[in-house]
């Protein structure tokens, strides 16, 4: 088959929307855990995943869709399998990818195989076979020194490698074919991501599920990871997790609630709780978490020293005696409780809770003044009047909101699109339209776009004058990623480095694989919010409809 001729017909672009790298579960029981096979096998085998864990207790990652079900002449389905974003005592970074299903590539340039997002790299005119693991690095010379026995195929450096790095705080790597987002792979050193991969010598290994979710990744068992090969072993996470945290408030003491998702009680006597902001580690005096049950640890009596949870929030870690006995949570700035909720796809989400529920299943995540109203994350490339991505934010409160904190000297931000606001105000019940600063993968001439800016959008789509239009530098992933609206609450400076703490108003981790919402994935529809009573992590909080930029 003449692949170049076939690709030029546009068939690949239209077919890619029908495939996804993951399959979501359907469990709604917060105590249930989806099982993950102990052995990976060949990535082309049915139901396989690129790593194994010697058993994975407490895993809530759902199994990926079997890419082997794709015929050998179907478009190639790409996948990320391993990421080294923060090597120990080294600036070396690398990303491992492979074709999980579909056809081999006779020539990677014919398919325009490339990376975007955190880094940019276009693969050369070479073949790539299904199931072959290849590595892209920022420094091929240092990579060969670090892995002298590496026998696989190595590519790099990626574009502008002297200045572009995988930020430890987190980002998304998009593996794309022919300009389309084939898979989006997230990484981060912040909770709930495993700290063993943060400068402690381990890599991140994909273990199954939505590659944009932290539940889908684990730390490698091998120091330095295992680049270029499949069947990676990972560190199995614990069944015990931090489930809810109550910060200090006048007249009310702090506490931490622990949940055990396993079938056996767990003695956590001597387990450690680390409060990173205070550089403090406390030891639990005694306690057993019942199977499928909860244990509330009082701040004054449960530890060898007083537990102090400041309203500014921060990172909290629970660690046991065995490697992998780690649970972490990022507590946002709040005087209310924060915690973890189980989602219907088998994953989890963290954030402020609507009500405190010590010793019980957590309540819904609390929505603040501002919420995400519409997301056009993967616009159609033809037969549409809205060929560009955008998102909307609505002020659901009865008062105007200024998107800049004079006391903290910091603007509100939208994580996921690399946006921070300057001094501007959204009126009560007002709407804010966010559009990309530059257009990617849009045939401007075909759509009659001569000049791309806010004025063009306002005039072309009759955006009301009271709707402000702001541009962002980032890009919405075609597959799915976390988008969060955050308000600066406080800051602290140590060693010349300033760290900011935020109130979380709303967040979502949208997915192109959400049941009933796949028409938003390149077919001319967008996601519209229908449930504003909780944060937008669940598919049921959204519906698909034609894009309506600038209109509620």
């Amino acid at each position: 088959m003449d692949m170049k001729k076939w690709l030029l017909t546009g068939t690949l672009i239209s077919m890619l929307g029908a495939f996804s790298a993951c399959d979501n579960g359907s469990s709604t029981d917060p105590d249930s855990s989806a099982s993950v096979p102990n052995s990976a096998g060949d990535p082309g085998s049915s139901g396989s995943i690129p790593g194994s864990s010697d058993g994975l207790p407490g895993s809530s990652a759902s199994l990926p869709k079997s890419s082997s079900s794709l015929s050998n002449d179907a478009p190639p389905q790409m996948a990320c399998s391993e990421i080294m974003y923060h090597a120990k005592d080294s600036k070396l970074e690398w990303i491992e990818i492979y074709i999980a299903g579909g056809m081999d590539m006779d020539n990677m340039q014919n398919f325009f195989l490339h990376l975007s997002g955190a880094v940019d790299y276009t693969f050369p005119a070479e073949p790539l076979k299904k199931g072959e693991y290849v590595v892209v690095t920022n420094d091929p010379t240092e990579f060969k020194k670090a892995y002298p026995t590496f026998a696989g195929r190595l590519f790099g450096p990626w574009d502008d490698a002297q200045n572009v790095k995988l930020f430890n705080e987190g980002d998304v790597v998009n593996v794309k074919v022919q300009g389309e987002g084939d898979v989006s792979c997230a990484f981060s050193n912040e909770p709930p991501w495993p700290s063993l991969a943060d400068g402690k010598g381990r890599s991140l290994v994909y273990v199954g599920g939505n590659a944009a979710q932290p539940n889908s990744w684990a730390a490698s068992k091998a120091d330095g990871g295992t680049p270029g090969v499949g069947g990676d072993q990972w560190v199995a996470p614990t069944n015990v997790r931090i489930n809810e945290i109550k910060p200090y408030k006048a007249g009310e003491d702090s506490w931490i609630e622990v949940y055990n998702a396993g079938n056996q009680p767990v003695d956590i006597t001597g387990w450690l709780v680390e409060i990173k902001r205070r550089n403090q580690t406390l030891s639990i005096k005694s306690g057993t978490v019942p199977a499928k049950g909860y244990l509330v640890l009082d701040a004054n009596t449960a530890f060898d020293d007083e537990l102090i949870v400041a309203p500014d929030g921060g990172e909290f870690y629970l660690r046991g005696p065995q490697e992998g006995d780690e649970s972490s949570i990022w507590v946002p700035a709040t005087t209310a409780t924060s915690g973890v909720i189980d989602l219907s796809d088998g994953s989890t989400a963290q954030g402020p809770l609507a009500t405190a529920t010590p010793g019980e299943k957590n309540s819904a995540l609390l929505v603040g003044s501002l919420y995400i109203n519409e997301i056009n994350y993967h616009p159609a490339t033809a037969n549409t009047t809205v060929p560009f991505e955008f998102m909307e934010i609505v002020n659901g409160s009865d008062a105007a909101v200024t998107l800049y904190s004079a006391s903290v000297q910091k603007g509100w931000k939208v994580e996921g699109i690399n946006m921070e606001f300057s001094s501007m105000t959204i009126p009560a019940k007002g709407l804010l339209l966010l559009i990309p600063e530059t257009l990617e993968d849009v045939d401007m001439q075909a759509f009659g776009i001569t000049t791309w800016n806010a004025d063009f959008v306002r005039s072309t789509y009759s955006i009301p004058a009271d709707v402000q239009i702001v541009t962002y530098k980032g890009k919405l992933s075609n597959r799915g990623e976390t988008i969060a609206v955050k308000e600066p609450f406080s800051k602290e400076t140590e060693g010349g480095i300033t760290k900011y703490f935020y109130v979380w108003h709303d967040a979502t981790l949208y997915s192109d694989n959400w049941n009933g919402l796949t028409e938003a994935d390149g077919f001319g529809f967008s996601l519209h919010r229908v449930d504003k009573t909780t944060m937008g992590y669940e598919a049921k909080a959204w519906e698909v409809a034609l894009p309506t930029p600038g209109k509620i």
Side-chain angles (χ1 to χ4, degrees):
M1 179 183 291
D2 185 348
M3 288 307 307
K4 184 178 291 186
K5 182 177 180 180
W6 182 70
L7 285 170
L8 289 175
T9 66
T11 304
L12 177 61
I13 293 177
S14 64
M15 291 182 67
L16 273 172
F19 301 99
S20 174
C22 61
D23 186 23
N24 293 329
S26 59
S27 171
T28 57
D29 179 1
D31 296 339
S32 68
S33 299
S35 62
V36 176
N38 291 342
S39 179
D42 187 293
S45 64
S46 178
S48 65
I49 52 180
S52 60
S53 71
D54 294 344
L56 188 57
S59 169
S60 61
S62 57
L63 293 177
K65 181 181 294 181
S66 174
S67 297
S68 63
S69 62
L70 304 180
S71 65
N72 288 333
D73 59 354
Q77 174 66 61
M78 301 306 301
C80 287
S81 46
E82 195 171 0
I83 300 175
M84 177 66 79
Y85 71 89
H86 188 188
K88 185 178 181 180
D89 303 323
S90 171
K91 295 183 179 179
L92 180 65
E93 300 171 342
W94 50 265
I95 303 160
E96 179 186 85
I97 69 169
Y98 69 105
I99 300 177
M103 65 173 61
D104 295 341
M105 294 187 185
D106 60 342
N107 184 322
M108 291 185 286
Q109 286 199 345
N110 287 352
F111 289 80
F112 190 34
L113 177 63
H114 64 288
L115 306 181
S116 69
V119 299
D120 291 293
Y121 181 78
T122 300
F123 287 85
E126 299 179 12
L128 180 63
K129 292 186 178 298
K130 181 170 60 178
E132 180 183 9
Y133 296 84
V134 298
V135 175
V136 185
T137 181
N138 64 328
D139 192 332
T141 301
E142 287 301 313
F143 183 93
K144 292 174 183 177
K145 291 179 182 178
Y147 303 95
T149 62
F150 177 79
R153 295 171 66 188
L154 181 66
F155 297 95
W158 53 61
D159 297 356
D160 195 19
Q162 294 294 322
N163 301 308
V164 176
K165 69 182 298 292
L166 299 175
F167 289 110
N168 297 342
E169 292 77 13
D171 210 329
V172 175
V173 176
N174 301 307
V175 187
K176 291 191 169 187
V177 177
Q178 199 67 12
E180 292 291 294
D182 206 27
V183 64
S184 296
C185 306
F187 62 92
S188 177
N189 68 351
E190 297 180 346
W193 294 83
S195 66
L196 281 174
D198 182 23
K200 298 178 181 179
R202 310 299 178 87
S203 65
L204 280 178
V205 175
Y206 173 70
V207 301
N210 184 343
Q213 294 176 334
N215 305 72
S216 300
W217 297 85
S220 64
K221 275 193 173 182
D223 283 331
T226 52
V229 297
D232 301 326
Q233 299 286 309
W234 69 78
V235 177
T238 177
N239 279 318
V240 178
R241 77 183 186 202
I242 298 175
N243 198 58
E244 189 173 359
I245 294 184
K246 171 70 170 65
Y248 173 79
K249 185 178 180 181
E252 301 178 11
D253 291 331
S254 303
W255 47 261
I256 291 181
E257 177 192 74
V258 178
Y259 172 67
N260 175 12
N263 296 318
Q264 298 295 326
V266 177
D267 183 358
I268 59 171
T269 301
W271 284 42
L272 303 177
V273 173
E274 179 188 3
I275 305 96
K276 289 198 71 173
R277 185 186 179 199
R278 297 175 58 83
N279 194 26
Q280 181 185 32
T281 299
L282 306 177
S283 176
I284 298 173
K285 291 180 179 180
S286 64
T288 297
V289 193
K292 308 295 185 183
Y294 306 86
L295 177 66
V296 178
L297 302 171
D298 180 76
N300 296 311
T301 61
F303 305 93
D304 60 348
D305 198 356
E306 182 183 5
L307 169 70
I308 298 177
V309 182
D312 306 72
E315 301 157 274
F316 290 77
Y317 287 83
L318 172 67
R319 295 190 176 97
Q322 304 297 322
E323 185 176 66
D325 285 347
E326 177 183 280
S327 169
S328 60
I329 183 172
W330 186 289
V331 177
T334 178
T335 56
T337 62
S338 297
V340 180
I341 63 167
D342 294 272
L343 303 177
S344 58
D345 66 357
S347 64
T348 60
Q350 301 184 356
L353 298 172
T355 57
T357 56
E360 300 176 1
K361 176 184 173 181
N362 285 344
S363 61
L365 294 177
L366 179 67
V367 177
S369 301
L370 271 57
Y371 66 86
I372 303 166
N373 185 61
E374 184 177 355
I375 307 174
N376 193 34
Y377 68 88
H378 189 183
T381 57
N383 301 318
T384 181
T385 58
V386 187
F388 56 91
E389 68 173 52
F390 69 86
M391 61 177 291
E392 295 173 347
I393 295 175
V394 169
N395 177 6
S397 72
D398 295 324
V401 174
T402 299
L403 301 182
Y404 186 84
S405 171
S407 60
V408 184
Q409 295 183 310
K410 189 75 170 175
W412 288 48
K413 67 177 181 179
V414 181
E415 288 188 354
I417 57 172
N418 190 26
M419 181 169 193
E420 182 175 314
F421 294 97
S422 57
S423 183
M424 62 180 300
T425 299
I426 305 182
K429 309 301 182 183
L431 182 146
L432 185 65
L433 175 61
L434 310 181
I435 62 174
E437 189 174 277
T438 58
L439 293 182
E440 294 184 23
D441 306 324
V442 176
D443 188 340
M444 295 178 61
Q445 183 177 359
F447 286 100
I449 304 174
T450 56
T451 302
W452 174 253
N453 54 33
D455 290 338
F456 168 83
V457 174
R458 187 178 299 279
S459 61
T460 303
Y461 297 93
S462 303
I463 308 298
D466 60 350
V467 173
Q468 300 175 79
I469 304 176
V470 184
T471 60
Y472 56 85
K473 296 183 181 296
K475 187 181 187 306
L476 294 169
S477 168
N478 288 352
R479 284 295 179 242
E481 65 178 315
T482 299
I483 303 294
V485 181
K486 298 185 177 182
E487 172 191 3
F489 178 81
S490 63
K491 64 179 178 180
E492 62 181 19
T493 302
E494 184 176 346
I497 299 176
T498 300
K499 190 167 188 175
Y500 295 89
F501 299 88
Y502 292 84
V503 176
W504 299 3
H505 282 257
D506 193 21
T508 181
L509 201 167
Y510 66 86
S511 172
D512 67 336
N513 200 42
W514 269 349
N515 186 34
L517 302 178
T518 56
E519 287 180 302
D521 184 26
F523 295 97
F525 294 85
S526 63
L527 296 174
H528 293 249
R529 190 71 166 269
V530 292
D531 182 3
K532 298 111 176 176
T533 62
T534 185
M535 290 190 180
Y537 282 104
E538 291 278 20
K540 64 183 180 181
W542 304 87
E543 67 178 6
V544 291
L546 291 173
T548 56
K551 299 176 179 65
I552 299 179

